[in-house]
Amino acid sequence: MRSRRILIALAAVNAVLIAALGFTVVRARSAEWHGTLLDPPMTAQSFELVSARGPVSSADLRGRWTVLFFGYTRCPDACPLTLEKLRRVHDALGDDAEQVQVALVTVDPEHDTPDRLAGYVERFDPSFLGLTADAPTIEAVTKAYGIYHAGSDPAGAAADGHAAHAPPRNALIDHTTHVLVLDRDGRLAMLWGPELTAEQMSGDLRRLLRR
């Protein structure tokens, strides 16, 4: 029951994400898109993160579509469920999967080392990337994409203008459960809510690859 209450609460938080990012969206007819298409896409955000394979910058991901999810390895429900869906999406693409990079960006940088992240995401698919950095860098990336995590509001700051306090090390971390899809130029092109199925996501992604 607790997990269900958390997921319901996070679904409400996710509704704030679009407003927090401050761009125009096209909510297309269901026959066309299952996710939320951004038109025009959001300006590319620069970042420099670290994987077990070495540094990974936003520039390194250009030329392919990137599917970004923000979570953490200790997450009991939303993260493993989402990564399993993304595994199925990646598998469904067949040969086109080479055009897509799936990456998990941690919201728990003190706990999630590059090696720990690699071991976690590779259980779902060996091609998946686990990305981390120091806490200020992670905070900057989450702010850039309007990602809620822990005690922060969707804009990444408390109402009084001070940075939100991080949760205790052993606490569960509430976080946005949307999946972000970046185009080949690194621009945010689509949002997938947690209610979508792998089949709906893969259908959207096939259409995006043809654009």
Side-chain angles (χ1 to χ4, degrees):
M1 289 299 294
R2 182 180 183 279
S3 294
R4 180 176 177 81
R5 287 196 299 271
I6 290 173
L7 290 174
I8 291 172
L10 287 175
V13 171
N14 285 339
V16 183
L17 176 60
I18 292 171
L21 287 170
F23 45 68
T24 303
V25 302
V26 173
R27 190 172 293 279
R29 294 188 299 275
S30 59
E32 297 176 349
W33 300 103
H34 299 287
T36 301
L37 181 69
L38 279 60
D39 189 16
M42 184 178 116
T43 303
Q45 304 295 311
S46 297
F47 55 80
E48 187 84 37
L49 301 172
V50 179
S51 77
R53 308 173 196 175
V56 176
S57 71
S58 51
D60 294 330
L61 298 172
R62 302 285 171 84
R64 304 171 72 188
W65 287 82
T66 302
V67 176
L68 279 183
F69 180 66
F70 290 80
Y72 65 115
T73 62
R74 296 181 297 114
C75 180
D77 38 39
C79 297
L81 289 173
T82 300
L83 287 169
E84 173 57 23
K85 279 199 288 188
L86 295 179
R87 181 197 65 78
R88 292 167 56 197
V89 170
H90 202 249
D91 287 351
L93 293 175
D95 292 341
D96 288 337
E98 295 181 358
Q99 302 180 50
V100 178
Q101 177 64 65
V102 177
L104 170 68
V105 179
T106 186
V107 294
D108 185 16
E110 291 187 3
H111 184 267
D112 286 340
T113 64
D115 287 341
R116 184 181 182 89
L117 281 163
Y120 181 71
V121 299
E122 288 173 7
R123 291 200 297 256
F124 297 92
D125 189 296
S127 72
F128 287 7
L129 278 176
L131 300 175
T132 188
D134 57 31
T137 299
I138 292 297
E139 186 64 21
V141 174
T142 57
K143 282 184 179 180
Y145 287 107
I147 298 297
Y148 168 92
H149 64 101
S152 64
D153 65 20
D160 63 3
H162 293 88
H165 295 293
R169 182 178 176 84
N170 61 347
L172 297 180
I173 300 174
D174 293 348
H175 60 93
T176 299
T177 54
H178 268 84
V179 175
L180 284 59
V181 183
L182 311 185
D183 68 14
R184 294 181 181 90
D185 295 320
R187 302 173 301 173
L188 181 57
M190 176 162 279
L191 299 173
W192 287 330
E195 76 283 356
L196 294 188
T197 66
E199 291 73 22
Q200 290 170 324
M201 291 177 175
S202 59
D204 280 352
L205 197 48
R206 286 193 191 95
R207 291 197 65 210
L208 288 170
L209 292 177
R210 295 196 297 268
R211 287 167 70 88

